[in-house]
Amino acid sequence: MGATPVIRVRNVDIVREGNPILRDVSLTVRPGEHWALLGANGAGKSTLLSLLGALVHPTRGTVEVLGHALGRVDMRHLRTYIGHVDPRHELRSPLRVRDVVLTGLTNTSEWVPRWTPTAEQAARAEELIALLGLGERREARWPTLSQGERGRTLIARALMPGPRLLLLDEPATGLDVAGREQLIERVDALQLADQELSSVLVTHHLEELPPGTTHVLLLREGRALASGPAQDVLTSDRVSACFAHPIHLTRTDGRWSVRAGRTPPRERVG
Ligand SMILES: Nc1ncnc2c1ncn2[C@@H]1O[C@H](COP(=O)(O)OP(=O)(O)OP(=O)(O)O)[C@@H](O)[C@H]1O
């Protein structure tokens, strides 16, 4: 608990066009913690993730990345500590999986002409490709990849510079059940492989939470409804309040599932 937090957000407000989008939100992510941001559509999850990714400034409050305050140091420098997986990644050239992963080092979508990775960098790319379960697809070209393979390629790409924090914005959106399960399995594997890495994952779906999720922040209308260790925060009552709908929550083998409707208190989680 003594280690410098990877991210410390204190009493942040974000106002856009006069509308409050985040209100008095605080969040501290420590090394090795894996957070999930949960909330209904429009709750402010993606806005909070952009703040964590040093992509936007708060209107009020403070954000520190590894002890450096946003606004006092170069945002681009801070971003080198953060791997942000953007599902809207635009790539025009038909690069191979291996080369897409290597563009994480140049922080570009396309391959930078005349840039050559070192042998060590190429080996790291191969390691990440294997870790994300893409070994057999390493030579495949981007346009031929399934959505699930693209998502996992982008996670490997984000990890290339060795960030301290990985941000995942709804990584399972659009995946079929097999694609979703492969993704969760791989996120689980990488969390186990690097005990220092922290992550923050945004989702609406509790079924998509990797079993290694340690902490949860429930957002409702821009406010933190609850925040803390997953087993404390993820109760049927709290999740029902977060989504303004009665929800029954269960946990089996480390994974969560939900169904609508009230159940007798003795059957509820928490
Ligand atoms: N630049 C902006 N100007 C005005 N309103 C904005 C802006 N960006 C986001 N919003 C509004 O802020 C609210 C929160 O948006 P955000 O995308 O962070 O929510 P979310 O929880 O990620 O939603 P979803 O689950 O639908 O992706 C929404 O009502 C959105 O319309």
Side-chain angles (χ1 to χ4, degrees), residues 7-13 22-29 35 37 48 51-52 60-63 216-219 222-228:
I7 288 272
R8 193 198 291 267
V9 171
R10 275 186 279 202
N11 308 108
V12 155
D13 289 353
L22 292 180
R23 295 188 260 197
D24 198 24
V25 172
S26 297
L27 168 68
T28 300
V29 179
W35 282 77
L37 306 182
L48 180 53
L51 188 76
L52 302 182
R60 278 178 289 276
T62 57
V63 180
V216 174
L217 176 77
L218 297 181
L219 268 180
R223 288 185 193 280
L225 200 69
S227 170

Side-chain angles (χ1 to χ4, degrees), residues 30 48 54-55 58-61 94 101 123 152 167 177 200 206 235 239-241:
R30 295 179 192 281
L48 180 53
L55 293 173
T59 310
R60 278 178 289 276
V101 172
R152 284 184 280 133
L167 304 178
V177 69
V200 180
L206 283 98
T235 66
V239 173
S240 298

Side-chain angles (χ1 to χ4, degrees), residues 26 57-58 64 85 99 112 120 127 138 155-156 168 179 190 223:
S26 297
H57 282 284
E64 286 173 17
V85 182
D99 296 337
V112 172
E120 202 181 310
E127 230 175 77
R138 54 192 289 288
I155 295 175
L168 300 161
L190 77 90
R223 288 185 193 280

Side-chain angles (χ1 to χ4, degrees), residues 155-185:
I155 295 175
R157 176 182 178 276
L159 291 169
M160 228 10 249
R164 303 284 303 273
L165 176 68
L166 181 67
L167 304 178
L168 300 161
D169 198 350
E170 299 190 39
T173 300
L175 300 188
D176 63 23
V177 69
R180 182 188 79 181
E181 291 306 308
Q182 282 165 3
L183 176 94
I184 293 169
E185 195 181 304

